[in-house]
């Protein structure tokens, strides 16, 4: 009886050890998308007046993996044009995404 309980404890420890050893880190598609959007917006041509301007961008990704800007909420019309011009219908590389899902992302322009 003692050997059976010892074998069960060892088996459970091995099972738990293997479960914790499988550290699969899954990248979220949203994080990859944010990185790609930041790269698309990195080369800004805005003036010094537009530095630290902020906007809320609503967009979706269509079946061709292109960003479709739905709206840009800001009081700065130059920032709105810059964001729409640099993001609208630009291809992004995503393995898994939900077509038509609406994303909202804050954008802040730095110098």
């Amino acid at each position: 009886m003692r050997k059976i309980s010892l074998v069960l404890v060892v088996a459970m420890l091995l099972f738990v050890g293997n479960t914790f050893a499988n550290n699969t880190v899954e990248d979220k598609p949203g994080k990859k998308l944010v990185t790609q959007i930041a790269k698309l917006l990195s080369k800004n041509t805005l003036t010094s007046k537009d530095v630290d301007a902020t906007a809320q961008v609503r967009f979706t990704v269509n079946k061709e993996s292109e960003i479709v800007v739905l709206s840009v909420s800001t009081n700065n019309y130059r920032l709105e044009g810059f964001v729409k011009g640099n993001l609208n219908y630009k291809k992004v590389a995503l393995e898994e995404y939900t077509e038509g899902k609406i994303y909202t992302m804050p954008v802040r322009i730095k110098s």
Side-chain angles (χ1 to χ4, degrees):
M1 185 71 174
R2 193 170 188 174
K3 287 184 181 182
I4 293 174
S5 55
L6 184 62
V7 169
L8 286 175
V9 169
V10 170
M12 288 175 55
L13 286 175
L14 287 174
F15 176 75
V16 170
N18 283 337
T19 303
F20 287 122
N22 290 336
N23 264 349
T24 56
V25 178
E26 296 179 19
D27 289 332
K28 295 181 180 178
K31 195 167 194 164
K32 287 183 179 181
L33 188 59
V34 168
T35 304
Q36 292 179 42
I37 288 173
K39 193 173 189 180
L40 288 170
L41 295 176
S42 65
K43 296 180 182 178
N44 68 38
T45 57
L46 298 170
T47 63
S48 60
K49 291 184 226 176
D50 301 317
V51 174
D52 290 332
T54 60
Q56 287 289 330
V57 181
R58 289 185 63 213
F59 63 94
T60 187
V61 180
N62 64 14
K63 64 182 176 183
E64 287 86 24
S65 297
E66 297 171 334
I67 297 172
V68 178
V69 177
L70 302 173
S71 67
V72 179
S73 299
T74 184
N75 294 333
N76 189 330
Y77 69 92
R78 287 185 296 269
L79 176 60
E80 181 179 353
F82 171 75
V83 169
K84 285 181 180 177
N86 285 318
L87 291 183
N88 217 9
Y89 295 103
K90 300 293 183 191
K91 284 205 176 263
V92 288
L94 294 174
E95 293 85 28
E96 293 183 26
Y97 65 94
T98 306
E99 178 187 346
K101 180 178 178 183
I102 297 175
Y103 299 92
T104 303
M105 180 177 147
V107 173
R108 188 174 120 217
I109 300 300
K110 290 183 174 182
S111 60

